[in-house]
Amino acid sequence: MAISLQKGQKVDLTKTNPGLKKVIVGLGWDTNKYDGGHDFDLDAAAFCLGENGKVTVETDFVFYNNAKHPSQAVIHLGDNLTGAGDGDDEQIKVDLTSVPANIHKIDFTVTIHEAESRKQNFGQVSNSFIRIYDEESGKELIRYDLGEDFSIETAVIVGELYRNGSEWKFNAIGSGFQGGLAALCGNFGINI
């Protein structure tokens, strides 16, 4: 059974799952009743960060337009333009054994595409979650349901995988940003 996390909670991933090599990070959400005339296009991304909490090169930002990290350790598995359907809306695959040594953590984020022009925000989104499961067995290991903490934010850092010595841990962050993707990228050292 998966470990269900609360905001701010940290948990061992590889120590409690010996031999774990490849995981899938699934992100999902639903939209509340909305009559603005536009689909809600939420986008998951991964920022591969150095010790200073910033990307070292722009290709450390993995998203639908840069689907594979140069190391092949982090791969975005496709852009869902509407969020329709049950389960994960977007997924990011991580090979923990191939993450370059200079990458200390991988932050997983969700932004709302064209949020400002479409007048959309995370207050109109519900049932948001991140889950991590073992790619080989399909077993869900960790789940963090974000709850309804957001109102005007247009970007969220959902959680992060981070190194702790030779092990990997997960931190349930749930931190919202105004200013969408641009604000998020600025936070991680990317100018767009």
Side-chain angles (χ1 to χ4, degrees):
M1 178 149 174
I3 298 172
S4 184
L5 300 178
Q6 302 295 317
K7 182 174 182 167
Q9 199 172 358
K10 297 176 180 176
V11 66
D12 284 312
L13 183 62
T14 53
K15 193 174 188 178
T16 53
N17 298 286
L20 182 67
K21 293 181 175 74
K22 296 180 180 181
V23 296
I24 303 286
V25 178
L27 297 117
W29 51 82
D30 293 323
T31 53
N32 299 333
K33 187 170 185 204
Y34 166 76
D35 58 6
H38 298 283
D39 284 333
F40 253 82
D41 179 8
L42 275 64
D43 296 313
F47 290 85
C48 302
L49 307 171
E51 221 169 347
N52 64 355
K54 307 284 185 199
V55 298
T56 54
V57 292
E58 286 194 6
T59 52
D60 285 346
F61 173 35
V62 178
F63 67 114
Y64 62 87
N65 268 346
N66 178 43
K68 293 182 181 175
H69 188 268
S71 67
Q72 305 296 301
V74 181
I75 300 172
H76 192 290
L77 297 179
D79 188 14
N80 179 334
L81 299 176
T82 64
D86 293 329
D88 299 341
D89 289 307
E90 292 190 10
Q91 296 177 324
I92 299 171
K93 182 174 160 175
V94 180
D95 181 345
L96 299 170
T97 62
S98 297
V99 176
N102 69 321
I103 303 296
H104 291 265
K105 56 185 179 175
I106 304 167
D107 277 30
F108 298 95
T109 66
V110 178
T111 57
I112 302 174
H113 184 68
E114 296 181 355
E116 194 172 309
S117 64
R118 294 179 180 185
K119 296 181 176 28
Q120 297 173 341
N121 59 57
F122 274 98
Q124 299 160 315
V125 175
S126 59
N127 303 320
S128 301
F129 67 86
I130 183 171
R131 69 187 190 107
I132 298 178
Y133 65 94
D134 184 337
E135 183 182 5
E136 287 180 23
S137 71
K139 178 184 172 198
E140 186 174 288
L141 306 170
I142 296 171
R143 183 179 185 96
Y144 167 42
D145 293 301
L146 273 72
E148 310 297 323
D149 294 343
F150 307 104
S151 56
I152 58 173
E153 293 84 356
T154 54
V156 177
I157 301 173
V158 183
E160 72 184 1
L161 286 171
Y162 66 98
R163 292 184 196 268
N164 184 21
S166 62
E167 303 291 344
W168 284 94
K169 288 185 158 191
F170 180 79
N171 181 10
I173 296 177
S175 177
F177 277 76
Q178 293 181 36
L181 185 60
L184 205 54
C185 285
N187 181 66
F188 292 122
I190 296 176
N191 295 319
I192 59 169

